Amino acid sequence: MRVLLIEDDMSLADGTVKALRRAGYAVDHAASGNECRRYFEAGQLDLLILDLGLPDIDGLVLLRELRKLQTGIPVLILTARDALTDKVSGLDAGADDYLTKPFAFEELLARIRVLSRRNTPVREPELKIGNVLINIASHEVRLDGEVQKLSRREFAILRALADRPGQVFSREQLEEKLYSWGDEVTSNTVDVHVHNLRKKLGHTLIKNIRGVGFILGSTE
């Protein structure tokens, strides 16, 4: 899942980006409305976390502008404006959720999970593929009841494929789920992660459609 954080407080932004990446998200950061527009126009975003007090534009104005371009992407406002009128204005402008600062990071993660579930056809807190059980909230994966240790990017690939079990994902699409724009990605990165997943969870778990990409298979 690729997240764009729009926040001009560099200290807060740095800590939030690092924490979100540790939680398994691919995160980019924009410190102004103009930077946000460039990321937004590049596409492939799954969630926006938007501060309202930006240096070059009011966040609500930016939100209305972005909503005219794309209506479906979830937007979570993260701001120090805590008045009821501010919350109502934010939701009326097109935000899907509103969280005030200071905030507990655990709550931010919970709200992101809720918005993520709204944006996918999967609603259950756990996904089952054959004898593999995936806990969405805890990122715990079990094979025949035994916990398997996955890296955050291995989990992200498994989650993307499991969310849409009938869809073939190209290498490029999976890379977009895993990496921020500034990350260096080698040509065989996704293949390495898929190879590791097969070793840990079964060689039939992920099928390679030659010349197209990867699709979820079966482990039984």
Side-chain angles (χ1 to χ4, degrees):
M1 182 179 187
R2 174 165 282 177
V3 177
L4 176 61
L5 172 67
I6 306 108
E7 170 64 64
D8 67 324
D9 183 325
M10 299 307 292
S11 177
L12 176 60
D14 183 63
T16 303
V17 167
K18 289 178 179 176
L20 287 173
R21 287 177 177 167
R22 284 196 299 270
Y25 298 101
V27 188
D28 292 287
H29 169 236
S32 67
N34 281 332
E35 285 186 63
C36 171
R37 292 185 187 99
R38 288 195 291 271
Y39 280 112
F40 197 83
E41 289 166 1
Q44 304 303 328
L45 292 169
D46 298 304
L47 173 72
L48 299 183
I49 302 177
L50 174 64
D51 180 30
L52 297 182
L54 300 175
D56 57 346
I57 188 173
D58 184 82
L60 292 182
V61 176
L62 178 63
L63 176 56
R64 293 188 186 98
E65 177 186 321
L66 297 179
R67 278 294 182 232
K68 290 179 181 179
L69 299 174
Q70 187 179 127
T71 59
I73 185 170
V75 176
L76 167 62
I77 288 177
L78 185 61
T79 180
R81 301 180 190 175
D82 58 359
L84 177 60
T85 53
D86 292 320
K87 296 177 182 179
V88 171
S89 297
L91 296 171
D92 283 345
D96 298 274
D97 200 357
Y98 195 108
L99 181 62
T100 57
K101 304 172 185 175
F103 61 93
F105 187 69
E106 291 77 9
E107 182 178 2
L108 175 62
L109 285 178
R111 289 173 183 250
I112 290 174
R113 289 194 294 269
V114 169
L115 293 176
S116 175
R117 290 197 296 270
R118 288 182 193 171
N119 210 34
T120 67
V122 178
R123 297 294 185 268
E124 295 81 6
E126 292 185 331
L127 304 175
K128 193 173 189 300
I129 313 111
N131 53 350
V132 174
L133 187 66
I134 307 167
N135 187 299
I136 302 303
S138 67
H139 288 198
E140 184 178 84
V141 177
R142 293 177 177 268
L143 174 65
D144 292 325
E146 294 189 9
V147 175
Q148 305 296 310
K149 187 174 181 180
L150 304 186
S151 72
R152 65 183 180 90
R153 284 173 175 157
E154 289 167 1
F155 181 87
I157 286 180
L158 182 61
R159 169 71 191 277
L161 294 171
D163 274 348
R164 303 182 187 276
Q167 178 177 329
V168 179
F169 285 82
S170 68
R171 287 173 176 81
E172 292 76 15
Q173 286 175 316
L174 289 174
E175 286 172 0
E176 288 164 356
K177 297 286 186 182
L178 299 177
Y179 295 96
S180 305
W181 274 289
D183 291 337
E184 183 177 349
V185 184
T186 59
S187 59
N188 68 336
T189 296
V190 169
D191 298 79
V192 171
H193 292 318
V194 169
H195 174 74
N196 291 337
L197 282 168
R198 286 170 172 160
K199 285 178 61 178
K200 295 174 182 179
L201 301 175
H203 291 282
T204 61
L205 175 66
I206 301 172
K207 295 180 180 179
N208 184 0
I209 308 300
R210 188 175 297 275
V212 182
F214 300 96
I215 189 171
L216 199 67
S218 172
T219 60
E220 296 180 322

